[in-house]
Amino acid sequence: MRTPTQVDLSQRALQLLREDAQKIQQLIAVQLENLTAPKCPLYEEVLDTQMFGLSREIDFAVRAGLITREDGREIIHDLEQKLADLYTKVLPSPGER
Amino acid sequence: MRTPTQVDLSQRALQLLREDAQKIQQLIAVQLENLTAPKCPLYEEVLDTQMFGLSREIDFAVRAGLITREDGREIIHDLEQKLADLYTKVLPSPGER
């Protein structure tokens, strides 16, 4: 078995972070489907906690030299975009209220 | 400049995690010195948040193959021990209450 190179470790780190981001997306999708009040404080607390955890992982990966700051920003940006899409589907638009 | 090896990356990861643990210890020491009520919910929330962040970093480093599960447990255990020592110095023992 060969020793993993930095490239292997960096790719693995990126993959893990993207999986973690996807887990948050799935968690939020399940919550939005099941909660009657997606704006409730409990829901926002879960999201805040999860985003904080992911941002700490990303910050660590950047400092450890595994991913670039830009890679990290992209993971967070993609996740925020996907969450915004979820909200659009679930929450009524202002005109429909 | 040579490419960092896995050993370099692992040592760097361990060093970063130990520094993060030390930052939590310092933060808690400052709080204990300045708060009149170390048992207050705000204090406990800060500690919980910081410990959660560190545990996510450690878990990520283990999954990324940078440190062993045992290394991670040791960092948390050391920090808990140091925090326990801080409490002993600051909080009155049950007999003194």
Side-chain angles (χ1 to χ4, degrees):
Chain A
M1 203 184 95
R2 73 192 178 88
T3 311
T5 64
Q6 167 148 35
V7 175
D8 296 332
L9 288 169
S10 293
Q11 283 177 349
R12 184 167 169 70
L14 264 181
Q15 190 192 336
L16 285 171
L17 292 170
R18 289 194 182 122
E19 284 171 9
D20 286 353
Q22 205 179 357
K23 273 183 217 150
I24 296 177
Q25 190 196 335
Q26 285 163 349
L27 175 73
I28 297 304
V30 168
Q31 285 206 340
L32 284 178
E33 277 163 26
N34 292 291
L35 280 181
T36 45
K39 285 262 173 203
C40 87
L42 183 62
Y43 162 79
E44 285 173 6
E45 207 179 300
V46 169
L47 181 56
D48 282 354
T49 304
Q50 294 299 321
M51 292 300 272
F52 171 73
L54 182 63
S55 72
R56 287 296 288 260
E57 288 180 19
I58 288 175
D59 182 65
F60 173 76
V62 171
R63 288 182 294 144
L66 291 174
I67 69 169
T68 64
R69 188 69 57 191
E70 185 52 36
D71 286 332
R73 265 195 292 263
E74 204 175 297
I75 291 169
I76 293 284
H77 179 78
D78 282 358
L79 176 57
E80 283 173 347
Q81 193 59 53
K82 280 170 188 156
L83 293 180
D85 292 348
L86 281 175
Y87 297 143
T88 311
K89 284 183 198 152
V90 171
L91 299 178
S93 68
E96 295 168 42
R97 265 174 208 160
Chain B
M1 204 182 96
R2 72 192 179 87
T3 311
T5 63
Q6 167 148 35
V7 175
D8 296 332
L9 289 169
S10 293
Q11 282 176 350
R12 183 167 169 71
L14 264 182
Q15 191 194 336
L16 285 171
L17 292 171
R18 289 192 182 123
E19 283 170 9
D20 287 353
Q22 205 180 357
K23 273 182 217 152
I24 296 177
Q25 190 197 334
Q26 285 162 349
L27 175 73
I28 297 304
V30 169
Q31 285 206 341
L32 285 178
E33 277 163 26
N34 292 291
L35 281 181
T36 44
K39 285 263 172 203
C40 88
L42 182 64
Y43 162 79
E44 285 174 5
E45 208 179 300
V46 169
L47 181 56
D48 281 355
T49 303
Q50 294 299 321
M51 291 301 270
F52 171 73
L54 181 64
S55 72
R56 287 296 287 262
E57 289 180 18
I58 288 175
D59 183 64
F60 173 77
V62 171
R63 288 181 295 144
L66 290 175
I67 68 168
T68 65
R69 188 70 55 192
E70 185 53 36
D71 285 333
R73 265 195 293 264
E74 204 175 298
I75 291 168
I76 293 283
H77 178 78
D78 282 358
L79 176 56
E80 284 173 345
Q81 193 60 52
K82 280 168 187 157
L83 293 181
D85 291 348
L86 282 175
Y87 297 142
T88 311
K89 284 182 198 153
V90 171
L91 298 178
S93 67
E96 295 169 42
R97 263 172 210 161

